[in-house]
């Protein structure tokens, strides 16, 4: 017998991937973990009967010869499958988009970095021309949308978008999708969110701003991850961690961040949990929220210790520099040849200032193209230190309305920052 299973705390991507597998592997059955997300539970209450899935509780693993694991990569995240981990001659097939922290050794692996795991399965279904109903299409789309924030998260790929189009073509209903992904919150969650804003600690780490909020919450409250993401975006943070304690036994840690700056999944793995660079969670046992916050601060500090400043993105100044004794005619010719708006003027390696097309035009008008650039150099050009953060550089560029900044250390020009150098810093790649 072949079964399909996924991670506990089953979300729409996990459920959709499981159901997609029941289409791909005929005769297989999905074994659903006992703990599923509330929205998923709601969906199952209405549409469960058309899905070939059965609850884990009461399911006998005795006759299992083949296990398909979707949207998960470690035994720990599965619900009661440990017995299978030791079974010899068990075929294991993995369909997953979690690239790190793999502990399941599989016979056949489909692991690729898409926004949603179900995207991989949909591509296979499209290849094989596997039929499915509009209601299934709707569930699959819920999977893609919930894992990619409706294709807005940086983790979304063109492949997720292509499968979105494929599903819309096949009758996926956006009204239904929206009903389940509605981001309004009930009173209990609104209360937690207000407390997060109130009782958060903002940590500055180099150029990163990270929020940590440790709270006691009512037991039974789930679906806290969207609150952490909302807290992060509301406060404009690079990363946010919510530490929630409902009883004295354990503290739930949920992290959300910009993957370019911080690897949330990696931090969570050191705590025994899991996740992606942008999102993850873990459970810390026998600790208080304050102790857990302490632990988090140390881990975050370690993980973003080598964050880079201006020095790491600046360009070699050589191509942007002209000697103070060069003539204005030479400057004008270089600007035209190299298609630049200005150059840095240096005496040796000492920065004097800058010269632009404006000064060249002035010199040309008065017939002074043969005089040294020194006399036309603007001294007050924007300068920045190599240790400054990229964000400071962006702010300076915006304020000074200059497309190029001089990176100066002890009056010496050590680099320049162009708009291109900063583009990668402004957007989260
Ligand atoms: Mn997923």
């Amino acid at each position: 017998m072949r079964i399909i299973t996924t991670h506990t705390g089953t979300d729409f991507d996990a459920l959709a991937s499981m159901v997609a597998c029941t289409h791909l592997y005929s005769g297989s059955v999905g074994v659903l973990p006992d703990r599923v997300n509330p929205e998923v539970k709601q969906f199952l209450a209405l549409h469960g009967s058309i899905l070939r899935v059965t609850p884990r509780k009461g399911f006998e693993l005795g006759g299992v010869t083949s296990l398909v694991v979707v949207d998960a990569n470690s035994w720990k995240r599965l619900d009661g499958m440990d017995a299978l981990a030791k079974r010899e001659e068990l075929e294991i097939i993995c369909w997953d988009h979690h690239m790190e922290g793999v502990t399941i050794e599989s016979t056949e692996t489909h692991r690729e970095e898409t926004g949603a795991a179900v995207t991989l399965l949909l591509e296979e279904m499209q290849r094989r021309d596997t039929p499915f109903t509009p209601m299934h299409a709707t569930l699959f789309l819920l999977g893609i949308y919930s894992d990619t924030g409706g294709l807005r998260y940086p983790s979304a790929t063109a492949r997720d978008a292509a499968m979105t189009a494929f599903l819309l073509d096949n009758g996926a209903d956006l009204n239904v999708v929206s009903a389940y992904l509605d981001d309004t919150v009930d009173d209990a969650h609104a209360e937690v969110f207000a407390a997060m804003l109130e009782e958060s600690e903002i940590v500055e780490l180099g150029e990163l701003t990270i929020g940590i909020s440790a709270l006691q919450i009512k037991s039974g409250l789930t679906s806290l991850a969207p609150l952490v993401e909302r807290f992060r975006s509301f406060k404009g943070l690079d990363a946010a961690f919510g530490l929630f304690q409902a009883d004295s036994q354990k503290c739930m840690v949920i992290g959300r961040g910009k993957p370019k700056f911080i690897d949330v999944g990696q931090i969570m793995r050191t705590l025994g949990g899991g996740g992606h660079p942008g999102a993850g969670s873990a459970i810390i046992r026998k600790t208080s929220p304050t102790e857990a916050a302490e632990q988090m601060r140390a881990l975050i500090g370690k993980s973003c210790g080598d964050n880079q400043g201006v020095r790491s993105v600046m360009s070699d100044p050589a191509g942007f520099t002209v000697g103070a004794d060069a003539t204005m005619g030479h400057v004008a010719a270089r600007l035209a040849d190299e298609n630049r708006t200005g150059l840095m003027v240096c005496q040796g390696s000492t920065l004097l200032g800058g010269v632009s097309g404006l000064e060249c035009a002035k010199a040309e008008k008065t017939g002074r193209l043969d005089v040294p650039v020194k006399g036309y150099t603007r001294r007050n050009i924007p300068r920045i230190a190599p240790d400054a953060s990229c964000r400071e550089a962006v702010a300076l560029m915006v304020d000074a309305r200059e497309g190029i900044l001089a990176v100066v250390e002890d009056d010496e020009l050590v680099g320049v920052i162009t708009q291109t150098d900063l583009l990668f810093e402004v957007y989260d790649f």
Side-chain angles (χ1 to χ4, degrees), residues 8 24 27 50 54 64 72 79 151 168-169 224 248 275 277 385:
T8 64
L24 283 172
I50 64 159
T54 183
V64 176
D79 184 3
L151 298 176
L168 290 172
D169 249 351
L224 296 162
S248 60

Side-chain angles (χ1 to χ4, degrees), residues 266-394:
Q266 193 248 321
I267 293 177
M268 293 306 167
R269 279 191 293 280
T270 59
L271 291 171
H276 302 278
S281 62
I283 286 173
I284 311 182
R285 300 207 179 269
K286 298 216 168 75
T287 182
S288 72
T290 2
E291 276 168 25
E294 191 79 29
Q295 203 175 340
M296 286 308 302
R297 271 192 298 275
L299 282 174
I300 295 165
K302 231 183 263 165
S303 110
C304 7
D306 46 36
N307 229 278
Q308 317 245 325
V310 155
R311 199 187 294 273
S312 65
V313 300
M314 68 189 188
S315 299
D316 185 336
F320 298 85
T321 310
V322 67
D325 301 324
T327 64
M328 286 305 277
H330 171 79
V331 171
R334 266 194 67 189
L335 292 183
D337 281 356
E338 295 165 22
N339 196 20
R340 294 194 195 289
T341 55
L343 290 170
M344 302 285 163
V345 182
C346 286
Q347 186 96 62
S349 57
T350 307
L351 177 71
L352 298 185
V355 63
S356 70
L358 217 68
E359 284 84 32
C360 288
K362 237 187 257 169
E364 190 173 7
K365 224 174 171 182
T366 51
R368 290 169 58 87
L369 282 176
D370 55 342
V371 305
V373 61
K374 204 169 183 174
Y376 278 94
T377 301
R378 268 184 304 124
R379 306 276 162 162
N380 64 335
I381 58 165
R383 294 157 196 246
I384 193 161
D387 300 327
S389 72
C390 291
R391 281 186 195 185
E392 288 171 71
V394 173

